[in-house]
Amino acid sequence: MRLRKVPIGSRDVPKRSGQDVVALSTTLRENIKPSKVKHLIDERLAALEASLTETHSLQTLGLGHGDLGIFFANFKANIALDPTCSHTLPNSFATISTSTTSAPRSSKAKTSFDAFRAFRRVFVEKGLQGLDLELKHAFIGFVADSKTSKPILEKQAKIADLRYPFEWFPATRAKRRTIHLHVGPTNSGKTYHALKRLEQARTGLYAGPLRLLAHEIYTRLNAKGKPCNLITGEEKRIIEGVKNAMVSCTVEMTPINVDLDVAVIDEIQMIGSPERGWAWTQAFLGVKAKEVHLCGEERVTPLIQRLATLMGESLKIHRYSRLSPLEVGNESLKGNLHALEKGDCIVLFSRVGIHAMKKEIEGKTGKRCAVVYGRLPPETRAQQARLFNDPDSGYDILVASDAIGMGLNLSIKRIIFETTQKRTRSGGLCALTISEIKQIGGRAGRYRTAHDDVKSSIPAASSGSNEGSTEVESSVTPRPSAGVVISLEDFDLSVIRKAMESEDIPIASAGILPPAAVVHQFKSFFPPDTPFSFILLRLQEISRLNPLFHLCDISEQVTIADLIEPIRNLSVGDRMVICSAPLSRGVEGLPEILQALARRIANQGGGSLSDIEEIPLEVLDKPVTAEKTYLSSLETLHTGLALYLWLSYRFEGVFTSRPLAFHVKEIVEQNIDKVLSEMSYDPNARSVRAQKRIQDTISKLKAEYRDKAVEDQEHPKYRLS
């Protein structure tokens, strides 16, 4: 099919059928004329109506063959897809907002949407598949609204009342806890003090945001003679025969129903995260410890104070000052790698980029580089950190991911941002937040490392309570040498300077997700075959919230729910567990692997690793080559193995090859690192990417200005939020 060229900024594209549109990029879909999008939506509605004529689909909806046409005609009349007019959607269409934005929503928000714009936005962001799902969910919601009596709707609303999450943990509420909040900037000793208290306790746990942090604390406690178990989503290391061992875990794995003396919850400011905040809220509200030590940024203090007051628990606040000075450099490196100095850390946001930068630095400057990123095996990461920290090792430069911002013990002189943008889970680009820039940048000029005098003590922080005491910040004598934060390119330096000088915005609310019992109850009001993704979206739509809480984004769960929807014999509990699995978007073959594993769960057997053909173990029979296709196949295998291990701890009777999966996963990780280290990289690629980032930013600003102008012209009174 021959296509004519489309000028940049054009609001038109070549005429295409629905199938042709599948291959269009987000940018091209955004430039399709509204009238053509309207025609496309009409086509998809017709296809949806045709698909629903099957007896099974009608039974799911509780409709007869004669009812479908009437309901569908009323449905189309309600959404009134006119791109030149604005219409208010009924409540059943609020599902559109839930699945297309990760921002927290008020429980009382019943947003009026321009139907056409709402569906168009879904099409632009998610393509035809996303549009088809939104139309299907919208119609199911319309039918549910039409067929549900007022008393039933009131019962649903009562179940969806999520205003009191503290009541979800009655055993914890019966316990008298003391909350210790350790707040301060990066490199201020706040986590150090909390961990010292943990080391003094008989029983306790550490909960952190990253697997490698959990592993670091696990190693530290065991080295100090405190038996400690490791629990992450895909790995458990349990010391046999020790009754009161400590626990080091990722925050999502925090054990709730265990009596403890001390619990340390790290990076508590992530309680406000639109995606993962629920895990910190669950750990904070639910952990049964006499002392709960929260470590994080000052901006979380007002929220923790209010939550502690509502729970009737004592709160003591410990404030810390930075232990060494920090400044933003006057100029960037201007792309010159020869300007790198011993003790520098250059930060990137992709594994491929990290290895490419390492190879470029070593090739151009002769300086040896250590590397640290989240997916490195813990033993390898510890070795790389030791090499960088040791001034006599010959490793002068560290090339790392943003994982260094979460408390790793590294002796860094300067932090150098290669970019101030990173990839989102959906594959797009987003700017780093102020908090992320401060946290990563704050790792420069670290006060002490393993090569410092470990016997010296950090000056104690001030402590106080929330009961009228005066809190005085701790006074320390910082080192004379300051940490420095700069960028590789001029383009990013002003962004970094503005972020580092900005005031922190207080965190307004804590993230939550409806507990399993609520989802079970809510689903009982719908026909057995109602899509589980619709249940999740509908529950979020009608939920009532306390202003101190927000519902976390469930787009990942919805995506997984739709992938496993055709699989029968999965219970609600099974679906909830599978939907919680951490997935990497964009990995080739992952949907098929997920469906294969879900079928094993439904059948309650057949989970031997060698019997699951969709996990491509045959990749290991191929010679290791520095080719992108081979790397892609290794990443597919690695993701499949990680998912297998994650599920093996939740369905132990089904997935029985855990030791083999661990062994194969280690081999795959070694092969991936070998491929990345041997791949050839275009020496001009970095400068090309830098120029493209500038052009993309300019284009984005132009597009935003254009869209705003069009919106003002067409619908001055109806702005799409």
Side-chain angles (χ1 to χ4, degrees):
M1 172 177 169
R2 294 179 60 84
L3 306 178
R4 62 180 174 84
K5 291 184 178 179
V6 183
I8 295 176
S10 168
R11 299 188 65 82
D12 196 5
V13 293
K15 194 168 185 178
R16 297 168 179 259
S17 67
Q19 291 301 316
D20 295 326
V21 175
V22 174
L24 286 178
S25 68
T26 299
T27 303
L28 286 176
R29 288 198 298 266
E30 192 170 17
N31 288 327
I32 298 178
K33 280 185 176 180
S35 59
K36 292 185 177 180
V37 177
K38 162 66 167 60
H39 180 70
L40 176 65
I41 294 174
D42 286 339
E43 285 184 348
R44 308 316 297 174
L45 282 170
L48 172 62
E49 184 175 8
S51 70
L52 292 174
T53 57
E54 299 175 2
T55 302
H56 177 74
S57 298
L58 291 174
Q59 289 175 345
T60 299
L61 294 168
L63 298 176
H65 285 280
D67 300 327
L68 180 62
I70 298 171
F71 270 90
F72 218 87
N74 286 329
F75 169 65
K76 289 194 287 188
N78 268 272
I79 60 178
L81 290 173
D82 185 347
T84 64
C85 299
S86 182
H87 295 268
T88 299
L89 286 174
N91 291 345
S92 55
F93 300 106
T95 53
I96 297 169
S97 66
T98 304
S99 59
T100 57
T101 178
S102 62
R105 296 192 301 117
S106 165
S107 62
K108 296 182 179 179
K110 294 297 183 183
T111 312
S112 294
F113 280 90
D114 176 332
F116 170 75
R117 288 184 177 227
F119 286 125
R120 177 180 178 272
R121 185 177 65 180
V122 173
F123 166 65
V124 168
E125 294 180 358
K126 298 187 176 183
L128 274 182
Q129 185 177 12
L131 176 62
D132 286 343
L133 286 173
E134 290 296 342
L135 291 171
K136 182 177 180 180
H137 290 151
F139 180 65
I140 293 171
F142 177 79
V143 173
D145 274 353
S146 302
K147 296 175 67 67
T148 305
S149 65
K150 186 177 179 180
I152 295 297
L153 289 174
E154 290 174 349
K155 289 181 180 179
Q156 291 179 4
K158 186 175 181 180
I159 292 172
D161 188 346
L162 308 179
R163 290 176 295 171
Y164 311 106
F166 343 93
E167 297 178 357
W168 300 345
F169 311 98
T172 306
R173 296 289 74 78
K175 195 178 186 74
R176 293 182 62 85
R177 303 192 306 175
T178 300
I179 311 299
H180 293 264
L181 178 61
H182 303 260
V183 291
T186 305
N187 194 13
S188 60
K190 53 187 182 292
T191 306
Y192 171 86
H193 279 90
L195 289 175
K196 293 300 287 184
R197 179 66 189 98
L198 179 61
E199 290 170 10
Q200 297 165 4
R202 186 179 64 88
T203 60
L205 71 82
Y206 167 86
L210 299 175
R211 168 176 161 266
L212 57 86
L213 273 182
H215 194 280
E216 186 170 275
I217 304 304
Y218 159 80
T219 303
R220 168 178 171 164
L221 290 174
N222 279 305
K224 288 179 175 289
K226 300 287 291 187
C228 182
N229 298 326
L230 175 69
I231 304 176
T232 70
E234 60 189 59
E235 182 180 16
K236 288 185 182 179
R237 299 187 186 181
I238 307 299
I239 301 174
E240 298 295 336
V242 178
K243 186 177 180 181
N244 294 316
M246 296 283 185
V247 174
S248 182
C249 61
T250 46
V251 70
E252 285 86 353
M253 301 300 294
T254 303
I256 298 299
N257 298 315
V258 179
D259 288 305
L260 302 166
D261 293 328
V262 174
V264 175
I265 303 173
D266 208 356
E267 306 296 347
I268 187 59
Q269 73 278 356
M270 291 188 72
I271 199 171
S273 166
E275 294 84 21
R276 294 180 67 195
W278 65 269
W280 274 262
T281 304
Q282 176 178 274
F284 173 40
L285 300 186
V287 69
K288 290 175 63 180
K290 296 174 184 176
E291 295 179 23
V292 180
H293 291 255
L294 311 175
C295 306
E297 300 171 12
E298 177 70 48
R299 63 195 180 105
V300 79
T301 302
L303 177 61
I304 298 300
Q305 286 176 315
R306 296 183 69 182
L307 293 177
T309 299
L310 286 174
M311 292 186 289
E313 295 181 332
S314 172
L315 173 65
K316 296 181 180 180
I317 302 173
H318 309 262
R319 286 191 166 90
Y320 301 78
S321 297
R322 186 176 166 84
L323 299 174
S324 61
L326 181 68
E327 60 188 37
V328 179
N330 293 324
E331 59 181 9
S332 74
L333 295 188
K334 302 186 183 301
N336 180 17
L337 297 181
H338 290 281
L340 289 169
E341 302 172 357
K342 185 177 179 66
D344 282 350
C345 172
I346 186 164
V347 179
L348 300 94
F349 299 95
S350 77
R351 184 166 53 177
V352 172
I354 286 170
H355 282 273
M357 180 61 71
K358 176 182 185 293
K359 196 164 189 176
E360 187 177 359
I361 292 171
E362 292 180 339
K364 288 184 176 180
T365 71
K367 294 183 174 73
R368 299 188 72 182
C369 299
V371 295
V372 168
Y373 52 86
R375 273 293 170 186
L376 270 181
E379 294 77 11
T380 305
R381 183 203 58 75
Q383 179 195 41
Q384 292 289 302
R386 283 194 298 271
L387 288 171
F388 177 70
N389 285 337
D390 184 352
D392 302 319
S393 70
Y395 284 78
D396 299 329
I397 311 296
L398 178 65
V399 185
S401 72
D402 54 341
I404 64 164
M406 295 290 186
L408 295 178
N409 196 19
L410 297 163
S411 182
I412 297 168
K413 178 183 176 183
R414 294 192 301 181
I415 287 286
I416 301 161
F417 285 85
E418 190 264 347
T419 178
T420 53
Q421 295 179 334
K422 66 178 181 179
R423 289 282 174 191
T424 62
R425 294 189 70 180
S426 59
L429 281 175
C430 69
L432 297 178
T433 66
I434 291 173
S435 176
E436 287 171 333
I437 291 174
K438 282 188 171 184
Q439 193 161 39
I440 296 168
R443 291 296 155 191
R446 188 160 178 83
Y447 185 75
R448 61 158 27 82
T449 70
H451 286 274
D452 292 318
D453 182 6
V454 295
K455 293 184 179 180
S456 63
S457 60
I458 296 177
S462 63
S463 94
S465 75
N466 60 335
E467 298 171 358
S469 64
T470 302
E471 293 148 354
V472 182
E473 295 199 355
S474 60
S475 60
V476 297
T477 304
R479 289 183 172 186
S481 59
V484 179
V485 187
I486 55 174
S487 62
L488 184 61
E489 306 287 350
D490 284 339
F491 179 77
D492 297 299
L493 189 59
S494 60
V495 176
I496 293 168
R497 188 181 305 281
K498 184 177 180 180
M500 297 298 288
E501 294 173 352
S502 297
E503 292 291 327
D504 291 328
I505 300 173
I507 296 172
S509 59
I512 61 170
L513 286 176
V518 169
V519 178
H520 272 275
Q521 277 187 286
F522 192 74
K523 190 181 186 306
S524 67
F525 287 98
F526 298 88
D529 291 331
T530 301
F532 192 61
S533 57
F534 172 76
I535 301 295
L536 297 176
L537 290 168
R538 183 55 175 251
L539 178 55
Q540 283 221 341
E541 175 198 346
I542 69 170
S543 294
R544 297 182 66 191
L545 298 180
N546 184 308
L548 293 178
F549 298 95
H550 65 262
L551 284 169
C552 285
D553 175 39
I554 59 168
S555 57
E556 291 290 326
Q557 291 95 316
V558 168
T559 299
I560 296 173
D562 286 322
L563 281 173
I564 64 174
E565 186 60 43
I567 299 170
R568 302 300 164 193
N569 299 324
L570 287 173
S571 68
V572 176
D574 293 340
R575 293 184 187 275
M576 288 192 68
V577 170
I578 298 170
C579 287
S580 300
L583 297 184
S584 301
R585 283 192 181 184
V587 175
E588 185 179 350
L590 182 57
E592 291 77 13
I593 293 173
L594 178 66
Q595 290 168 338
L597 295 174
R599 282 193 293 271
R600 268 64 180 186
I601 295 170
N603 296 333
Q604 288 295 296
S608 174
L609 184 61
S610 59
D611 293 338
I612 304 173
E613 296 179 357
E614 289 80 1
I615 297 179
L617 295 173
E618 65 276 5
V619 172
L620 297 178
D621 296 329
K622 299 178 181 178
V624 178
T625 58
E627 297 178 357
K628 288 186 177 180
T629 52
Y630 180 70
L631 177 61
S632 177
S633 62
L634 282 176
E635 289 177 334
T636 298
L637 176 54
H638 186 273
T639 303
L641 291 167
L643 181 58
Y644 182 96
L645 287 169
W646 191 90
L647 290 170
S648 74
Y649 287 109
R650 291 143 180 92
F651 301 96
E652 296 197 25
V654 176
F655 302 109
T656 55
S657 304
R658 190 186 301 151
L660 175 61
F662 270 121
H663 176 66
V664 176
K665 181 167 169 281
E666 288 177 2
I667 295 173
V668 173
E669 288 169 344
Q670 292 169 4
N671 287 355
I672 288 175
D673 287 334
K674 186 176 180 181
V675 170
L676 289 172
S677 64
E678 294 179 356
M679 285 183 76
S680 59
Y681 300 98
D682 182 359
N684 299 315
R686 182 165 52 82
S687 59
V688 171
R689 285 198 307 271
Q691 288 299 317
K692 187 175 185 303
R693 259 194 322 125
I694 296 173
Q695 293 170 359
D696 288 347
T697 301
I698 294 172
S699 298
K700 185 177 179 180
L701 291 171
K702 285 182 177 179
E704 289 175 354
Y705 178 81
R706 181 199 66 204
D707 288 348
K708 186 178 186 302
V710 170
E711 187 172 304
D712 288 344
Q713 181 180 0
E714 293 182 356
H715 301 295
K717 293 183 179 180
Y718 297 92
R719 304 282 175 82
L720 185 64
S721 59

